[in-house]
């Protein structure tokens, strides 16, 4: 091979080597850019997740919306709730009313929509808003009462639509986790307070006093009452299961009422109306007995003459409706609301409010916020406490 040929071959080899190095560096550069982009997205998502996991109010929405807009890549982004626009970042603040209306429609219909220029009319000459993508924050069990609205300078492109939908789905998952955390905290508080409310110290004292009064005059009655009291306390202090059946709960209430009748005699009248088909329904353990005790202790014991406690359980399709009502002294609704609020905050551990608040919290924790107690009362008008219990629930079994 000639010297010239050797030089050309060497130059070709060097050129190939240089080209290979350049390609390798380019690939490494691309990988580095991809890694940097991935890190940026994850970091932004983490920044948005923290306020969302704290619950969606105006303060947390304001903290999250800037990071959500970065994820979507929109000129403007709004978080809309039942009370209108919770927070907005970027362009479009002067369209708040229209954005709120669009978000509320999406929440009500649980359906995403794309808005055009005709949907966002504006008199401002400098307005560049020409469209928007509205996506409800929909979790596994439906909409969460909020929507994401991404604002566009022109007709929303398919990429913006997809980014908004995916971000809304991710944000809904964060809110669902926030609700799960809140439910766990409520359940933990309720379990602690359920232990306190399992059996009232006042009832123990009064029951033993009533039994003692029969020891000399009617020993057989005293023996029966002791057995009823023993069975009642055995049920109240049982260590297995968070749930029971309505039939078991009513059986325990019957023992409780047997002992209370020994105290009050003919002053205490009881009416039960129970549909047989709801007896197997599962409900939180000891959620009825505190209501009956509340009716007698705080309603009828302070009323002169005869008092009536009514317990009704009816079949309502997919639900069982239960009411405990008394014709006792009743109370001022404002006082009841304030007392239940104090009991829920664990600043008041005495009185009827703990029993009502405890039952209300356990029902909401087990079945959802729509299944809390409904209390109707007024001074001198007695009290009626109602609850709805689903016949079937995936996480509830007696």
């Amino acid at each position: 091979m000639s010297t010239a040929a050797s030089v050309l071959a060497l130059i070709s080899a060097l050129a190939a080597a240089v080209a290979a190095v350049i390609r390798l560096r380019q690939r490494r550069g691309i990988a580095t850019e991809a890694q940097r982009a991935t890190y940026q997205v994850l970091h932004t998502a983490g920044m948005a997740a923290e306020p969302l996991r704290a619950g969606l109010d105006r303060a947390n929405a304001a903290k999250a919306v800037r990071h959500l807009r970065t994820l979507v890549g929109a000129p403007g982004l709004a978080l809309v709730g039942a009370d209108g626009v919770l927070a907005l970042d970027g362009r479009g603040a002067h369209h708040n009313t229209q954005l709120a209306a669009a978000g509320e429609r999406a929440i009500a219909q649980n359906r995403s929509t794309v808005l055009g220029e005709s949907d966002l009319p504006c008199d401002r000459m400098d307005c560049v808003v020409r469209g928007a993508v509205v996506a409800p924050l929909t979790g596994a069990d439906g909409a969460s009462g909020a929507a994401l609205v991404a604002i566009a300078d022109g007709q929303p492109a398919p990429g913006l639509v997809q980014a908004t939908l995916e971000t809304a789905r991710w944000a809904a998952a964060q809110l669902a986790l926030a609700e799960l955390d809140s439910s766990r905290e409520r359940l933990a508080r309720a379990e602690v307070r359920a232990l306190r409310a399992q059996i009232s110290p006042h009832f123990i004292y009064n029951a033993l006093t009533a039994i003692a009064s029969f020891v000399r005059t009617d020993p057989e009655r005293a023996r029966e009452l002791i057995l009823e009291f023993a069975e009642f306390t055995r049920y109240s202090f049982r260590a297995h299961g968070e749930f029971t059946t309505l039939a078991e709960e009513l059986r325990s209430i019957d023992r409780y009422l047997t002992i209370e009748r020994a105290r009050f005699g003919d002053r205490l009248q009881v009416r039960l109306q129970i549909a047989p088909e709801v007896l197997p329904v599962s409900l939180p353990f000891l959620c009825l007995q505190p209501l009956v005790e509340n009716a007698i202790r705080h309603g009828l014991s302070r009323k002169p003459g005869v008092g009536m406690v009514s317990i009704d359980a009816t079949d309502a399709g997919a639900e069982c409706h239960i009411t405990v009502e008394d014709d006792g002294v009743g109370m001022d609704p404002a006082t009841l609301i304030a007392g239940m609020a104090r009991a829920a905050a664990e600043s008041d551990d005495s009185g009827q409010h703990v029993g009502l608040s405890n039952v209300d919290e356990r029902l909401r924790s087990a079945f959802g916020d729509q299944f809390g107690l409904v209390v109707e009362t007024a001074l001198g008008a007695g009290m009626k406490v109602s609850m709805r219990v689903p016949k079937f629930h995936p996480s509830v079994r007696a």
Side-chain angles (χ1 to χ4, degrees):
M1 182 181 293
S2 66
T3 304
S6 299
V7 170
L8 287 174
L10 179 59
I11 291 173
S12 298
L14 288 173
V18 170
V21 170
I22 291 172
R23 287 196 298 271
L24 179 60
R25 287 182 176 178
Q26 287 176 337
R27 284 198 298 270
R28 287 177 176 175
I30 292 171
T32 302
E33 288 300 322
Q35 290 168 355
R36 187 178 294 114
T38 300
Y39 165 78
Q40 191 61 44
V41 170
L42 293 174
H43 176 71
T44 304
M47 296 294 288
E50 186 175 349
L52 290 175
R53 289 289 295 272
L56 194 61
D57 54 22
R58 290 187 182 274
N60 291 324
K63 295 176 182 177
V65 70
R66 177 167 59 90
H67 306 295
L68 292 174
R69 182 167 80 91
T70 302
L71 290 174
V72 173
L77 189 84
L79 271 169
V80 177
D83 299 327
V85 176
L86 300 175
L88 184 144
D89 187 66
R91 298 174 187 168
H94 58 287
H95 284 278
N96 265 8
T97 302
Q98 297 162 336
L99 299 179
E104 289 168 7
R105 284 195 302 272
I107 294 169
Q109 298 171 4
N110 195 20
R111 187 175 63 187
S112 303
T113 184
V114 177
L115 306 180
E117 188 173 356
S118 60
D119 300 309
L120 300 167
C122 185
D123 297 331
R124 290 178 50 166
M125 298 296 295
D126 60 341
C127 179
V128 296
V129 176
R130 296 292 182 267
V133 183
V134 187
L137 304 187
T138 306
D141 56 349
S144 64
L148 209 61
V149 184
I151 298 161
D153 290 343
Q155 182 66 24
L160 179 62
V161 174
Q162 192 61 35
T164 304
L165 296 179
E166 292 299 330
T167 303
R169 190 174 294 115
W170 175 84
Q174 302 308 307
L175 294 177
L177 290 173
E179 179 59 30
L180 180 61
D181 290 341
S182 176
S183 297
R184 285 173 176 168
E185 290 175 4
R186 290 200 307 267
L187 183 59
R189 291 198 304 268
E191 286 174 349
V192 171
R193 303 181 59 201
L195 293 175
R196 298 177 187 169
Q198 274 188 359
I199 186 166
S200 166
H202 299 276
F203 171 69
I204 295 176
Y205 174 80
N206 292 330
L208 294 176
T209 302
I211 293 170
S213 68
F214 287 101
V215 169
R216 289 184 179 276
T217 59
D218 193 344
E220 186 59 29
R221 179 78 184 281
R223 178 180 176 277
E224 292 174 359
L225 291 174
I226 288 173
L227 293 176
E228 294 289 353
F229 181 71
E231 286 299 312
F232 173 79
T233 53
R234 182 190 63 81
Y235 177 79
S236 298
F237 289 136
R238 77 176 195 177
H240 58 281
E242 297 177 23
F243 299 95
T244 187
T245 63
L246 178 60
E248 285 292 328
E249 194 80 351
L250 289 172
R251 192 173 292 115
S252 176
I253 288 173
D254 181 60
R255 297 186 182 106
Y256 170 81
L257 291 172
T258 298
I259 298 169
E260 290 292 59
R261 286 194 193 97
R263 287 181 57 212
F264 290 97
D266 294 336
R267 285 183 55 207
L268 175 59
Q269 301 294 315
V270 179
R271 183 185 69 85
L272 277 83
Q273 188 167 344
I274 311 297
E277 55 268 29
V278 299
L279 289 174
V281 169
S282 297
L283 68 168
F285 174 63
L286 275 184
C287 73
L288 270 188
Q289 188 271 331
L291 305 184
V292 177
E293 180 175 355
N294 176 76
I296 295 174
R297 180 183 169 197
H298 298 284
L300 300 184
S301 66
R302 302 173 184 177
K303 174 187 177 180
V306 177
M308 170 76 74
V309 175
S310 300
I311 305 171
D312 294 90
T314 59
D315 185 0
E319 296 177 350
C320 169
H321 291 181
I322 304 171
T323 61
V324 177
E325 185 174 6
D326 68 80
D327 59 359
V329 297
M331 70 182 307
D332 177 39
T335 303
L336 174 65
I337 293 171
M340 289 187 68
R342 286 195 305 272
E346 297 191 303
S347 60
D348 180 6
D349 288 332
S350 61
Q352 68 200 97
H353 310 120
V354 171
L356 292 175
S357 179
N358 172 48
V359 173
D360 181 67
E361 284 188 23
R362 287 193 290 146
L363 286 170
R364 292 175 187 272
S365 295
F367 304 120
D369 284 335
Q370 68 271 33
F371 289 98
L373 290 181
V374 176
V375 183
E376 303 170 59
T377 187
L379 287 173
M383 181 177 290
K384 180 179 179 180
V385 184
S386 307
M387 68 174 72
R388 296 160 42 227
V389 178
K391 287 183 178 177
F392 306 101
H393 195 277
S395 62
V396 173
R397 179 174 297 177

